[in-house]
Amino acid sequence: MLMISPRMASGMQEKQYTPSLLSFFIYNPKFGPREGEEEKKILFYHPIEIEKNEKIRNVGLCEAIVQFTRTFCPTKPAKSLHTQKNRQFFHEPEENYWMVMVVRNPMVEKPNKDGKPPTVEYQEEEIIDSVYGSVLQQCYSMYKLFNGTFSRAFEAGGVELLIQKLEKFFYRYLQTLHLQSCDLLDVFGGISFFPLDKMTYLKIQSFVNRVEESLSHVKYTAFLYNDQLIWSGLEQDDMQILYKYLTTSLFPRHTEPELAGRDSPLRPEVAGNLLHYGRFLTGPANLKDPDAKFRFPKIFVNTEDSYEELHLIVYKAMSAAVCFMVNAAVDLSRELCEQLDSLVGPQLTLLASDICEQYNINRRISGPEKEPQFKFIYFNHMNLAEKSTIHMRKTASVSLTSVHPDLMKILGDINCDFARVDEDEEIIVKAMITGLLERSLIRGSCTSF
């Protein structure tokens, strides 16, 4: 991404370039061990138009770096390589399967007088390893959610099937990466939970239990409101990546202006049957359409143990959304979808109204929102809860913060220090902010700010 900032002194303009993706590739050194077979190692390479010999050279260089660093620490190979112009990140999600992401460093292009070529200054220190290393790990997690593991694909159909799956997924997924908006929240990959009173929470739990009892095919359920999680039956690691998919991809695609009063606590009463606003976000767009397609995306969960393949049904009414996960062997027919719609739609509409009403009551009691006294980023490793008073807006493509970018860089550096220290080490942090000198002693096991 290019940004232009005027130079006040001379009227010239500086061009600022944010981090961008140069290349992304996946290889397995076991697939081409002999000379002349190097191309067989490459399972995926972006951009596709790169010449074959250059691909082989780049993969060979990464392979050599990884092997060289293993001589110093066999259990912890290289994770990144720093150069003036770019940063390379390495990740081995499965044995012998390597993912590499090459990011161009931010740079400033300063114009020169007398028609000389502009001076380019690379800002390599602006790239934080932990942030972009986490982005690379999320690439694998998102692939695994919809395709399963690399090794399972190889076992099912050999290298040809694996390459086919990788190309189908990553050529589209890489277009959604916005590296310029990545920051410390991408390291945590946390979940935002919606605050609820006990009675409303019990209503939601009762709703989930009733639906799972009435629809025996439903194996797992997740309940969200305003893109925040309230209830989940999935394991945390699976819910973490599913939550990211829902909030950064699926929900934004289906955002539409709600009808006036739709989220009002006033309930529409219709004799004999309650009017509801339920609709499918995955699957059929219109149940009444005779040509509707009843195809739902499949996800893979518990890949370390039972390796379950499931249909993902996402159903929404107003600001409330429910994810139903059904065994992939079950045929999701029109009759089943109509049954789900008639059962879930009215109840979910009522629940959305109850939650909205309770939320508005709490807001009136607490009064108007005030500027937070302290700015912080909070992450709980136990339940993956995440909260930030620093971010005014955080989406896949935008990250707006209420603090200077230099402070975000400092927080990222502190987080890197936390990741490096042992449990018995300590970090002393000194910060000068708005004239106040703060000094805190932080133990290595603490990771919240």
Side-chain angles (χ1 to χ4, degrees), residues 322-333:
V322 188
C323 302
F324 299 109
M325 283 144 275
V326 179
N327 192 299
V330 176
D331 179 27
L332 297 182
S333 61

Side-chain angles (χ1 to χ4, degrees), residues 64 161 255 296:
L161 178 62
T255 298
F296 294 85

Side-chain angles (χ1 to χ4, degrees), residues 285-296:
N286 184 1
L287 280 176
K288 296 181 180 180
D289 183 359
D291 298 324
K293 303 295 184 182
F294 294 87
R295 298 173 183 170
F296 294 85

Side-chain angles (χ1 to χ4, degrees), residues 200-210 230-231 351:
T200 309
Y201 181 81
L202 289 175
K203 288 181 182 179
I204 293 173
Q205 192 173 28
S206 176
F207 162 77
V208 171
N209 292 338
R210 288 197 306 271
I230 294 177
W231 166 273
L351 271 177

Side-chain angles (χ1 to χ4, degrees), residues 376-396:
F376 63 86
I377 297 175
Y378 168 82
F379 177 70
N380 188 326
H381 283 279
M382 299 299 292
N383 62 358
L384 305 181
E386 179 182 87
K387 183 177 178 62
S388 172
T389 59
I390 290 177
H391 291 78
M392 298 180 291
R393 186 184 180 199
K394 181 73 168 82
T395 66

Side-chain angles (χ1 to χ4, degrees), residues 124-164:
E124 58 265 29
E125 295 305 319
E126 296 299 315
I127 294 286
I128 302 175
D129 281 359
S130 60
V131 171
Y132 294 95
S134 298
V135 171
L136 180 57
Q137 294 173 24
Q138 289 169 9
C139 290
Y140 171 73
S141 298
M142 197 66 74
Y143 170 88
K144 186 175 68 170
L145 178 67
F146 291 101
N147 296 275
T149 60
F150 296 158
S151 55
R152 277 296 183 105
F154 177 73
E155 293 169 3
V159 177
E160 293 77 12
L161 178 62
L162 177 57
I163 292 176
Q164 179 183 344

